[in-house]
């Protein structure tokens, strides 16, 4: 009994000591945490759920990239041994298959045709691609026509040989040929009494022997500091039926060094031209140096430089012009804005003038050659595309130009033209707008066009003679099927003006305005539209049949005064590919 009571007192004493120790330990822990030790009661109202507070949640996504710090170099030892199995089998042989093409490719063709107005056409084009890196070829063309007006005749012949070869780091190409164009001074001009002033239209013919060659470095995509260059040579001998001769030899080249995002280079050229006529001769030579630096990035291209131009020969003059351009991708691949400012000397050549107007009179004291000068040419616009189906370009420009050449009826020979120049103390100005558009509507229809607006502010001349303020050229092509193709062209030119200084020339129904005190008259040449269309049917892979209609509206319009163009003319024939 006494032992049991002692045991109870022992248990009680042990419990009191244990409680005292636990309270002391709790107070010691509370003191370690910096918080006071308290005794609170705890009421359990729900099951325990381990929820992290927002403050301890991880806010960073894990990096799932598996990066290997060390890439071991593995080696393989592959035994090149023949496995012999004595089962009667033998090595399989490759069965050669005959080569076949899905489409017959041809490099050569011949075309013949005929039509009304005495039209005859013949063409032959030959080209060889026997060598992978070399191409050689040549061509011969002939066309002649005769209009309804007396001696309204035209003929054209072309012969040429060309070649191109890739020689390692450079590409060499060139062409040599002969062009001839023949016509007559068929201008329908009369005096004040109605009598013809051109009773016997004289013949005119232009012969052009030419050569062109170029050596160009090939582009290396892997070179970050590429050095590129080019050298080009051009030469021609040009003459007409009246002993007017023009010979020219020109050398041009460029060098360019790429340094990171910079390109440093220069364009250099020399043009040596001589003109001779029965009573006229001229040495007209021009040298140019255009150094530049270009900053180029993925969405921009900025070029800064200068253009040094020296004229020498019978007269000498030196000019320095600014040269700067910028191209910025407003919306890459869809819209680029561009702009620039520059200037230059424009060589006036007999060859280019007579290609534009073949009825130029003989050169002399009153009909001479002079270069024009672009004192300032400022331009800007926007261009871009939407894939391969839509492309556009719109450009506005402002030009200050000196000695601009125009054509005027020659006194005494009103069926021929003289050159007159826009002279004055100040340069004349041209403000213009150009637009281009190319659209592939579908796999069947493709259309395109170009529109030009020009506004002239001249110092001396009354008008910009024979230069339209508006000009539109449009084209369309329709692939009706794999064998049938149809195309069309439209040319529209706005109203122009011609100058007549000969008081003895009758102007009939032309709208005229008296200008000046010397009896000069301004003649209004109406606007015109020229619509043409053609079709081709591929009868076989090698033979095609074609037809073409020119001036379908049948307008006897005039590009130059007294020289109406051909009316409706039709030509058709066959072509053969081989």
């Amino acid at each position: 009994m006494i032992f049991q009571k002692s045991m109870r007192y022992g248990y009680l004493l042990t419990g009191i000591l244990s409680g005292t120790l636990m309270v002391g330990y709790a107070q010691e822990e509370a003191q370690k945490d910096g918080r006071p030790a308290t005794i609170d009661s705890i009421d359990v109202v729900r099951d325990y759920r381990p929820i992290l507070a927002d403050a301890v949640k991880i806010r960073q996504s894990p990096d799932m990239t598996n990066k290997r710090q060390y890439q071991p170099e593995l080696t393989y030892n592959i035994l090149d041994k023949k496995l012999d199995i004595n089962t009667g089998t033998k090595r399989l042989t490759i069965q050669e298959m005959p080569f076949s093409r899905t489409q017959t490719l041809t490099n050569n063709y011949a075309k013949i045709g005929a039509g009304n107005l005495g039209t005859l056409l013949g063409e032959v084009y030959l080209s060889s691609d026997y060598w992978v890196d070399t191409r050689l070829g040549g061509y011969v063309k002939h066309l002649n026509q005769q209009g309804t007006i007396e001696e309204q005749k035209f003929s054209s012949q072309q012969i040429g040989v060309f070649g191109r070869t890739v020689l390692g780091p450079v590409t060499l190409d060139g062409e040599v040929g002969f062009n001839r164009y023949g016509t007559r001074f068929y201008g329908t001009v009369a005096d004040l009494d109605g009598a013809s002033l051109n009773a016997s239209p004289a013949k005119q013919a232009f012969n052009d022997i030419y050569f062109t060659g170029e050596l160009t470095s090939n582009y290396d995509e892997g070179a970050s500091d590429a050095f590129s260059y080019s050298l080009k040579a051009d030469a021609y001998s040009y003459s007409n039926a009246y002993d007017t001769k023009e010979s020219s030899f020109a050398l041009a080249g460029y060098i360019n060094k790429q340094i990171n995002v910079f390109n440093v280079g220069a364009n250099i050229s020399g043009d040596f031209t001589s003109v001779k006529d029965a009573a006229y001769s001229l040495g007209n030579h021009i040298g140019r140096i255009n150094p530049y630096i270009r900053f180029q990035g993925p969405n921009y291209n900025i070029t800064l430089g200068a253009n040094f131009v020296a004229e020498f020969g019978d007269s000498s003059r030196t000019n320095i012009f600014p040269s700067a351009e910028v191209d910025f991708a407003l919306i890459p691949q869809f819209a680029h804005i561009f702009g620039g400012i520059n200037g230059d000397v424009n060589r006036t050549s007999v060859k280019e003038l007579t290609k534009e107007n073949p009825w130029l009179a003989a050169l002399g004291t009153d009909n001479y050659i002079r270069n024009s000068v672009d004192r300032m040419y400022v331009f800007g616009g926007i261009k871009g595309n939407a894939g391969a189906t839509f492309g556009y370009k719109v450009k506005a420009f402002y030009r200050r130009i000196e000695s601009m050449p125009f054509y005027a009826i020659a006194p005494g020979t009103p069926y021929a033209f003289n050159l007159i120049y826009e002279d004055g103390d100040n340069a004349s100005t041209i403000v213009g707008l150009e637009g281009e558009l190319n659209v592939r509507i579908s796999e069947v229809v493709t259309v395109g066009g170009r529109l030009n607006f020009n506004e002239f502010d001249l110092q001396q001349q009354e008008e910009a003679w024979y230069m339209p303020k508006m000009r539109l050229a449009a084209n369309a092509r329709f692939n009706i099927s794999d064998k049938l193709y149809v195309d069309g062209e439209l040319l529209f030119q706005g109203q122009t003006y011609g100058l007549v200084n000969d008081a003895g020339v009758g102007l009939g129904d032309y709208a005229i305005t008296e200008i000046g005190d010397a009896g000069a008259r301004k003649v209004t040449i109406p606007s015109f539209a020229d619509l043409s269309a053609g079709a081709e049917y591929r009868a076989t892979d090698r033979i095609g049949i074609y037809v073409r209609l020119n001036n379908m509206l049948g307008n006897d319009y005039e590009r130059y005064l007294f020289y109406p163009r051909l009316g409706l003319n039709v030509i058709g024939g066959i072509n053969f590919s081989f």
Side-chain angles (χ1 to χ4, degrees):
M1 185 75 177
I2 295 173
F3 178 75
Q4 291 180 352
K5 186 180 294 186
S6 297
M7 290 292 294
R8 286 197 299 266
Y9 284 118
Y11 289 142
L12 178 61
L13 181 59
T14 301
I16 292 172
L17 291 174
S18 299
T20 303
L21 290 173
M22 291 181 65
V23 170
Y25 180 77
Q27 289 179 350
E28 191 176 5
E29 288 294 321
Q31 292 176 357
K32 288 182 180 181
D33 295 338
R35 296 191 301 273
T38 59
I39 300 176
D40 295 325
S41 62
I42 298 175
D43 297 329
V44 178
V45 296
R46 59 176 173 80
D47 295 334
Y48 172 72
R49 287 184 294 175
I51 301 176
L52 291 177
D54 291 339
V56 297
K57 289 182 178 179
I58 298 176
R59 295 293 183 178
Q60 184 177 1
S61 298
D63 184 6
M64 304 299 295
T65 305
N66 184 14
K67 298 181 180 179
R68 301 185 63 176
Q69 300 299 327
Y70 171 72
Q71 179 67 44
E73 181 179 357
L74 303 179
T75 59
Y76 301 91
N77 184 18
I78 301 176
L79 300 178
D80 186 9
K81 293 184 177 181
K82 181 181 178 181
L83 179 62
D84 293 326
I85 302 177
N86 299 321
T87 58
T89 60
K90 64 179 181 177
R91 181 182 300 176
L92 297 177
T93 58
I94 299 175
Q95 180 66 40
E96 295 184 359
M97 299 295 293
F99 178 75
S100 62
R101 293 183 184 268
T102 58
Q103 182 180 2
T104 303
L105 301 179
T106 58
N107 297 317
N108 315 306
Y109 76 87
K111 176 186 288 187
I112 59 173
N116 67 330
L117 303 181
T119 303
L120 290 176
L121 170 68
E123 292 184 20
V124 176
Y125 179 92
L126 303 173
S127 177
S128 172
D129 60 353
Y130 180 79
W131 301 278
V132 176
D133 55 0
T134 302
R135 178 176 289 271
L136 298 173
Y139 58 88
V140 178
K141 299 181 182 180
H142 169 80
L143 173 65
N144 68 268
Q145 291 181 299
Q146 180 175 348
T148 57
I149 301 174
E150 184 180 359
E151 303 299 342
Q152 187 183 22
K153 297 179 180 180
F154 308 93
S155 65
S156 173
Q157 293 81 34
Q158 300 178 42
I159 301 174
V161 178
F162 59 87
R164 179 183 179 91
T165 183
V166 180
L167 302 173
V170 299
T171 297
L172 179 65
D173 63 90
E175 182 177 346
V176 59
F178 169 75
N179 294 332
R180 183 184 184 278
Y181 179 77
T183 184
R184 285 180 177 264
F185 287 91
Y186 67 89
T188 56
V189 55
D191 60 14
L192 297 177
D193 297 327
S196 175
L197 295 174
N198 190 18
S200 300
K203 293 182 179 181
Q204 179 63 289
F206 303 98
N207 300 302
D208 179 21
I209 302 173
Y210 67 91
F211 162 79
T212 179
E214 185 173 9
L215 174 69
T216 308
S217 62
N218 295 327
Y219 178 68
D220 185 3
E221 296 182 355
S224 59
D225 57 347
F227 176 74
S228 58
Y229 56 89
S230 174
L231 179 63
K232 184 177 182 180
D234 291 280
Y236 67 82
S237 177
Y238 191 75
S239 62
N240 66 7
Y242 295 91
D243 296 328
T244 300
K245 297 180 180 180
E246 182 178 70
S247 58
S248 176
F249 175 73
L251 278 174
Y254 77 85
I255 54 175
N256 184 88
K257 176 65 175 178
Q258 182 179 348
I259 307 173
N260 295 327
V261 297
F262 299 94
N263 282 269
V264 180
N267 300 296
I268 305 172
S269 66
D271 191 326
F272 308 91
T273 303
S274 299
V275 181
K276 292 184 179 181
D277 202 280
Y280 180 80
S281 64
L282 173 69
N284 186 17
H285 315 313
I286 303 175
R288 293 182 179 87
I289 301 178
N290 170 221
Y292 65 84
I293 180 171
R294 180 179 299 123
F295 308 88
Q296 188 170 351
N299 296 321
Y300 68 90
N301 193 326
I302 302 173
T303 304
L304 303 176
N307 193 14
F308 301 87
V309 185
E311 299 173 79
F312 54 97
D314 286 6
S315 61
S316 61
R317 178 173 53 178
T318 302
N319 291 281
I320 302 176
F321 305 101
S323 178
E325 294 186 19
V326 60
D327 189 311
F328 176 73
L330 190 64
I331 304 176
Q333 300 181 356
F334 292 95
H336 285 242
I337 56 175
F338 64 93
I341 178 173
N342 56 45
D344 203 354
V345 174
N346 307 308
R347 181 173 68 97
T348 301
S349 72
V350 176
K351 180 178 179 179
E352 296 303 322
L353 290 172
T354 53
K355 280 185 176 181
E356 185 180 48
N357 183 352
W359 302 287
L360 191 66
L363 299 177
T365 305
D366 298 328
N367 193 26
Y368 56 95
I369 298 296
R370 181 196 298 180
N371 298 326
S372 64
V373 181
D374 269 312
R375 288 296 175 190
M376 179 182 293
Y377 179 42
V378 182
F379 63 92
I382 184 171
K383 62 182 178 179
N385 58 71
T389 61
F390 181 83
Y392 67 93
K393 180 180 180 181
V394 179
K395 182 177 78 171
F397 66 87
Y398 171 83
R399 292 178 66 185
R400 293 181 61 248
I401 184 170
E402 294 179 358
S403 301
M404 195 186 320
F406 299 111
Y407 302 106
I409 290 296
T413 54
Y415 49 82
F417 292 85
N418 276 351
L419 290 171
I420 59 175
Y421 297 89
E422 169 64 6
D423 295 323
D425 296 333
N426 299 317
S428 302
T429 62
I430 305 175
V431 179
L433 181 66
E434 299 178 359
E436 296 182 34
L437 183 67
N438 291 280
V439 182
R440 189 179 70 183
I441 300 176
S442 66
E443 295 294 334
V444 177
V445 182
T446 303
V447 297
R450 181 185 179 95
L451 180 64
N452 296 79
F453 290 101
N454 294 313
E455 190 64 39
F456 301 90
D457 183 9
L458 307 179
Q459 302 298 314
Q460 297 293 323
Q461 300 298 324
E462 183 75 14
E463 298 286 350
W465 310 115
Y466 301 104
M467 298 185 69
K469 294 184 177 181
M470 175 186 173
R471 186 179 177 89
L472 170 66
N475 60 80
R477 180 178 175 86
F478 306 89
N479 299 331
I480 306 301
S481 67
D482 294 339
K483 294 182 174 294
L484 180 61
Y485 309 92
V486 178
D487 67 275
E489 296 179 0
L490 172 64
L491 173 63
F492 176 81
Q493 179 172 294
Q495 182 176 274
T496 59
Y497 301 95
L499 177 64
V500 177
N501 287 312
D502 193 339
V505 176
L507 296 176
D509 297 330
Y510 290 102
I512 61 174
T513 303
E514 298 286 343
I515 56 175
D517 299 328
R521 290 168 289 177
K522 179 175 72 173
V523 182
T524 301
I525 302 174
S527 59
F528 64 84
D530 190 332
L531 180 63
S532 303
E536 180 179 355
Y537 177 74
R538 302 293 298 177
T540 68
D541 291 339
R542 296 184 179 272
I543 299 177
I545 303 172
Y546 71 93
V547 62
R548 184 152 197 91
L549 291 80
N550 299 311
N551 194 4
M552 296 174 60
L553 302 178
N555 297 327
D556 293 331
Y557 63 87
E558 295 182 0
R559 175 68 177 88
Y560 296 100
L561 192 62
F562 305 133
Y563 280 90
R565 301 300 295 267
L566 294 174
L568 173 65
N569 57 95
V570 183
I571 182 172
I574 62 173
N575 53 52
F576 177 72
S577 302
F578 57 96

